[in-house]
Amino acid sequence: MNKQSTLTKKVNTMQIKIIRCKDYDEMSKKAAQKIISSIEKKPNIVLGLATGSTPIGLYKELIQDHKLHGTSYKHVYTVNLDEYVGLAPEDKNSYFSFMKKQLFDKIDINLTHTNIPNGIAPDLEEESKRYNQLIESLGGVDLQILGIGQNGHIGFNEPGTPFTSTTHTIQLTESTRTANASHFNSLDEVPTYAITMGVQNIMSSKEILLLASGSSKAKALQQLINGEVTEELPASVLRLHDNVTIIADEEALKYI
Ligand code: PGA
């Protein structure tokens, strides 16, 4: 990425709310409560969903609540952040498979209301346009769930991604491929490219909930909360949004 195209600005930043939890379980429960109350308020909510290790506990809580209290997802719409390029939806490592296994198959959501970029679309540029239009046609995302990469990525927007980006194909950094390798048989199997919502799509969400657990995220969170707003740390853009809550555990917040 050309240095001049990166944005490092001193700007008036918004107050990010921080909910400090003792551990992963408490983080998952607090995030679930927030989502459940948002669905109660707006049954046809558009949820932006994330994959990875971080939201698995949250999805377990949602499933349990659905079973115990009957929270319904019949009218809910979802848009996922990203998908690996080259993995078909039925591939066991695709994010489509992840979402089915971790959430969709265990709640009463209408699968036709769920959306994930197509990682095997013949024309990825067309697919990116389709995804942008789809988000728009749903009226935008009401509540976006985010994890954070150790390098500060959100979605698969790696360091250096323009804040103006919309859905696009991106080459994954080696640190991201290594971090995600545990889900695959070997590092070689981890795809090299992904299709991801852009930073601008994420910033267009009405409300954002970022989850983080464990000391491997502590440095990225410290930079996000106290560092510069810079495209070199994509998550720092969240300081320009007026409705962001971070729910994180002690270890992830150990420098805050
Ligand atoms: P993780 O990934 O939840 O697997 O740590 C988060 C991310 O990369 O955004």
Side-chain angles (χ1 to χ4, degrees), residues 169-189:
T169 302
I170 191 155
Q171 183 165 12
L172 300 175
T173 61
E174 279 317 291
S175 80
T176 296
R177 292 184 67 245
T178 306
N180 291 1
S182 60
H183 302 283
F184 293 80
N185 291 326
S186 70
L187 180 60
D188 285 350
E189 276 188 17

Side-chain angles (χ1 to χ4, degrees), residues 88-99:
E90 54 276 12
D91 188 298
K92 72 176 179 10
N93 286 314
S94 74
Y95 284 157
F96 178 78
S97 293
F98 175 101
M99 288 310 303

Side-chain angles (χ1 to χ4, degrees), residues 52-54 147-149 153 217:
S53 310
T54 309
I148 183 168
H153 73 206
K217 303 297 173 67

Side-chain angles (χ1 to χ4, degrees), residues 6-109:
T6 64
L7 178 75
T8 305
K9 263 198 192 166
K10 288 242 174 296
V11 281
N12 288 329
T13 55
M14 306 286 172
Q15 192 63 42
I16 291 185
K17 294 180 275 303
I18 300 173
I19 300 180
R20 193 178 276 268
C21 303
K22 68 175 188 310
D23 55 19
Y24 180 81
D25 283 351
E26 192 180 321
M27 176 201 76
S28 303
K29 284 193 170 73
K30 287 251 155 71
Q33 282 160 10
K34 167 73 194 159
I35 292 176
I36 292 160
S37 81
S38 299
I39 295 172
E40 274 164 12
K41 284 187 204 125
K42 186 174 181 185
N44 64 345
I45 192 169
V46 180
L47 291 176
L49 297 180
T51 48
S53 310
T54 309
I56 290 177
L58 155 67
Y59 296 150
K60 283 206 173 98
E61 293 290 332
L62 294 180
I63 293 162
Q64 205 189 353
D65 162 78
H66 170 70
K67 285 196 183 122
L68 287 175
H69 307 116
T71 302
S72 177
Y73 295 76
K74 273 200 178 115
H75 304 291
V76 170
Y77 288 81
T78 66
V79 282
N80 263 76
L81 285 165
D82 44 24
E83 179 59 283
Y84 288 115
V85 167
L87 297 193
E90 54 276 12
D91 188 298
K92 72 176 179 10
N93 286 314
S94 74
Y95 284 157
F96 178 78
S97 293
F98 175 101
M99 288 310 303
K100 273 179 62 79
K101 180 169 167 218
Q102 301 296 342
L103 185 65
F104 296 157
D105 284 348
K106 295 168 184 159
I107 55 175
D108 64 342
I109 198 158

Side-chain angles (χ1 to χ4, degrees), residues 77-211:
Y77 288 81
T78 66
V79 282
N80 263 76
L81 285 165
D82 44 24
E83 179 59 283
Y84 288 115
V85 167
L87 297 193
E90 54 276 12
D91 188 298
K92 72 176 179 10
N93 286 314
S94 74
Y95 284 157
F96 178 78
S97 293
F98 175 101
M99 288 310 303
K100 273 179 62 79
K101 180 169 167 218
Q102 301 296 342
L103 185 65
F104 296 157
D105 284 348
K106 295 168 184 159
I107 55 175
D108 64 342
I109 198 158
N110 181 342
L111 267 189
T112 66
H113 290 183
T114 68
N115 299 283
I116 301 182
N118 177 6
I120 53 162
D123 183 337
L124 290 166
E125 227 168 274
E126 274 306 311
E127 174 60 8
S128 299
K129 275 192 210 148
R130 181 193 73 83
Y131 211 66
N132 290 331
Q133 282 161 5
L134 169 91
I135 296 167
E136 229 173 271
S137 72
L138 290 171
V141 171
D142 291 305
L143 178 61
Q144 175 69 55
I145 310 304
L146 293 179
I148 183 168
Q150 292 171 30
N151 62 5
H153 73 206
I154 46 175
F156 271 137
N157 293 287
E158 299 284 32
T161 307
F163 284 169
T164 51
S165 57
T166 55
T167 308
H168 62 287
T169 302
I170 191 155
Q171 183 165 12
L172 300 175
T173 61
E174 279 317 291
S175 80
T176 296
R177 292 184 67 245
T178 306
N180 291 1
S182 60
H183 302 283
F184 293 80
N185 291 326
S186 70
L187 180 60
D188 285 350
E189 276 188 17
V190 183
T192 311
Y193 289 88
I195 177 166
T196 181
M197 259 192 220
V199 175
Q200 194 179 300
N201 299 112
I202 292 172
M203 287 296 280
S204 302
S205 311
K206 295 172 192 94
E207 183 170 5
I208 296 174
L209 206 55
L210 182 141
L211 311 184

